[in-house]
Amino acid sequence: MKINNTIDILNNNLVTIAGLPDGTVIVPDSAILDKSLPSQSESSWQSEASVNSPTLKLAQSKVDISRKAEDLTKSERLPKIGLQAGWSIDGPILVEVPPINRNLSYWYVGVGVSYNISSLFKTNKSLSRSRAATVHATDELVAARENTELAVRADYIRYLESYEELNTQQKSVELAERNYNTVFTRYSADMALITDMLDAANSKLDAEQQLVNARINIIYYYYKLLFTSGKI
């Protein structure tokens, strides 16, 4: 009853978080427990994380934005150069008496240069703030890289550890089954109590449960590696 209630609670939580229709029943893929997951070196996971990690991409975007803001602030110190070209026509000529019925056509090309003197005083403070923001964003990027590398390394170690745990639990199940068969034989010959039989059965059941948990841990840390490296 407790297991069924727990499954119902988890199912309701997943349905609500995923925004699925009420009454949806999520069935886990139990076949994945028997699949062999790919084995990659830590360096390959680190390479994947350096390229695909959302945390690193966000930190890099902040650095790029800060550098762009710094460049814009620097551009305020530069003179503004403008190029103009145009054509106009006037007529008739009314300044003459009598007026001359004639049109005059003008072509003109010009270059304008302007410079804001106040930028010499205002830009320094803005540029200092922009540079400080760039340094801060760069420090955050370095910290994000370090944290990502540490997270990938920790998950990779746990991933390898889960395989060792699986081997241990497989041996525990084997020993628990031997003990159960021995106690069952003794119980059948009236050489063991029912309590001994129950203890052996509970030990066997617990070992089998720990074996399933070990297989689940392999899958969990594999997908955790995928998440940390930004592949999902």
Side-chain angles (χ1 to χ4, degrees):
M1 183 181 66
K2 288 183 179 180
I3 292 176
N4 289 332
N5 290 339
T6 302
I7 292 175
D8 290 339
I9 293 172
L10 293 176
N11 186 85
N12 290 333
N13 291 343
L14 288 173
V15 168
T16 302
I17 293 174
L20 300 175
D22 293 339
T24 301
V25 178
I26 299 176
V27 180
D29 182 11
S30 58
I32 196 174
L33 294 174
D34 299 323
K35 292 181 180 179
S36 58
L37 299 178
S39 177
Q40 298 175 242
S41 63
E42 181 186 347
S43 59
S44 63
W45 286 109
Q46 295 287 4
S47 299
E48 292 284 352
S50 63
V51 176
N52 300 317
S53 174
T55 303
L56 294 182
K57 288 182 179 180
L58 179 60
Q60 183 63 55
S61 298
K62 290 182 179 179
V63 173
D64 295 339
I65 292 173
S66 296
R67 287 175 178 171
K68 181 63 66 175
E70 188 176 342
D71 292 338
L72 291 175
T73 303
K74 290 179 181 178
S75 67
E76 295 179 1
R77 289 182 169 182
L78 301 176
K80 306 299 187 295
I81 300 176
L83 179 63
Q84 292 182 339
W87 172 79
S88 65
I89 184 171
D90 292 331
I93 304 175
L94 301 178
V95 295
E96 299 290 340
V97 179
I100 300 176
N101 187 16
R102 183 177 296 176
N103 295 329
L104 298 179
S105 177
Y106 301 94
W107 289 92
Y108 61 89
V109 177
V111 177
V113 178
S114 63
Y115 188 80
N116 187 3
I117 301 297
S118 63
S119 64
L120 294 175
F121 309 97
K122 296 180 180 179
T123 307
N124 289 334
K125 294 183 179 179
S126 299
L127 186 58
S128 298
R129 288 194 296 267
S130 298
R131 287 174 176 172
T134 301
V135 172
H136 180 69
T138 303
D139 292 340
E140 286 186 341
L141 176 60
V142 173
R145 285 175 179 168
E146 292 178 351
N147 292 333
T148 301
E149 289 177 0
L150 292 174
V152 170
R153 180 167 300 171
D155 291 342
Y156 183 74
I157 292 174
R158 294 299 184 189
Y159 181 55
L160 297 181
E161 180 185 281
S162 61
Y163 276 101
E164 295 297 330
E165 183 182 0
L166 177 63
N167 295 331
T168 301
Q169 295 303 328
Q170 287 174 339
K171 188 64 177 179
S172 296
V173 169
E174 180 183 347
L175 295 176
E177 288 178 347
R178 289 181 181 178
N179 179 65
Y180 177 83
N181 293 332
T182 300
V183 175
F184 179 76
T185 301
R186 294 177 58 195
Y187 178 76
S188 300
D190 292 331
M191 297 176 62
L193 301 175
I194 185 64
T195 54
D196 298 330
M197 192 67 200
L198 291 175
D199 290 340
N202 289 334
S203 298
K204 180 174 177 294
L205 181 61
D206 182 68
E208 292 172 346
Q209 181 180 355
Q210 294 302 322
L211 178 60
V212 175
N213 288 338
R215 290 173 176 168
I216 293 174
N217 284 337
I218 293 176
I219 299 169
Y220 170 76
Y221 284 112
Y222 175 71
Y223 278 93
K224 198 168 187 291
L225 271 172
L226 292 178
F227 178 79
T228 305
S229 60
K231 297 187 70 174
I232 58 173

